[in-house]
Amino acid sequence: MLKKLLFPLLAALILAGCASSTNTLTIQPKIQLPQQDPGLMGVTVSINGADQRSDQALAKVNRDGQLVTLTPSRDLRFLLQEVLEKQMTARGYMIGPNGAVDLQIVVNNLYADVTQGNVRYSITTKADISIIATAKNGSKQVKNYRQTYSVEGAFSATNQKITDAVNATMSDVIADMAQDTSVNEFIKQNAR
């Protein structure tokens, strides 16, 4: 009888010891799309992404005396490139190589500053994203989108709480990009 109880209990403990917490944050911001621009007729733009951050970490957290580095679940430059492609397609542009205007979306900064004590935590997330538009005629425009998001709470800053803060900040930046028409106006003026 004791063997029947002990073996499953021992197996469960061993498996629990193997299951470690992940240091990857699942980044899935809400994607807001702009209104279609009826004035666009077959304008093609090319889009690529770049990550200019010196450190790929999204946050560094002190947990049980150890500094834990948290990284994104996917490459942020490709995530933002995909977002910009969806937004430009929604406006009415075609996406392809050798476009009338080349767009580059650049991650200048995206980091969650996490502080925590015995009973409280604080997360401040900062994002700095640029869209660089370069026309074939040599004209160039740089548009920056910056957001800061702060949250405080009781006990410790879990990975989920940090993920939520990063996703909220990214969602705000993406909403700003959707509402901003300056890049669209630049393309319309320089695509001819």
Side-chain angles (χ1 to χ4, degrees):
M1 179 69 181
L2 186 61
K3 283 183 181 177
K4 285 185 177 181
L5 289 174
L6 191 60
F7 184 71
L9 181 63
L10 187 61
L13 286 173
I14 290 171
L15 287 174
C18 294
S20 63
S21 64
T22 179
N23 294 336
T24 304
L25 303 181
T26 304
I27 305 305
Q28 295 176 319
K30 292 184 182 101
I31 299 175
Q32 186 172 334
L33 298 177
Q35 297 294 318
Q36 184 169 5
D37 186 337
L40 297 174
M41 300 301 275
V43 176
T44 301
V45 295
S46 65
I47 298 175
N48 68 52
D51 192 342
Q52 301 290 335
R53 298 175 304 144
S54 57
D55 189 348
Q56 300 306 304
L58 282 179
K60 292 185 179 175
V61 184
N62 189 344
R63 292 198 175 132
D64 301 324
Q66 301 246 332
L67 191 62
V68 177
T69 301
L70 303 175
T71 55
S73 57
R74 58 181 293 203
D75 193 323
L76 294 177
R77 68 180 170 196
F78 293 125
L79 172 68
L80 286 167
Q81 180 179 331
E82 185 180 301
V83 167
L84 186 57
E85 286 176 2
K86 286 180 179 177
Q87 288 184 340
M88 298 311 282
T89 301
R91 284 194 199 277
Y93 291 100
M94 293 185 293
I95 311 298
N98 303 318
V101 175
D102 297 326
L103 299 177
Q104 183 178 44
I105 187 159
V106 181
V107 183
N108 300 311
N109 186 24
L110 181 62
Y111 191 76
D113 187 25
V114 180
T115 55
Q116 54 189 7
N118 292 336
V119 292
R120 298 207 48 80
Y121 71 86
S122 168
I123 304 169
T124 301
T125 308
K126 293 182 179 178
D128 181 355
I129 309 295
S130 298
I131 296 178
I132 303 168
T134 308
K136 297 292 183 218
N137 65 12
S139 297
K140 189 173 186 174
Q141 178 191 46
V142 178
K143 179 65 183 181
N144 292 311
Y145 301 92
R146 294 182 180 99
Q147 282 292 338
T148 302
Y149 176 86
S150 295
V151 64
E152 293 183 0
F155 304 113
S156 65
T158 63
N159 283 6
Q160 187 59 53
K161 291 172 186 170
I162 298 168
T163 299
D164 292 346
V166 172
N167 280 331
T169 307
M170 296 267 300
S171 297
D172 288 348
V173 167
I174 291 167
D176 287 351
M177 289 167 44
Q179 293 163 9
D180 181 38
T181 59
S182 63
V183 174
N184 189 38
E185 293 304 319
F186 174 84
I187 295 169
K188 285 165 58 173
Q189 290 169 7
N190 292 283
R192 308 274 179 260

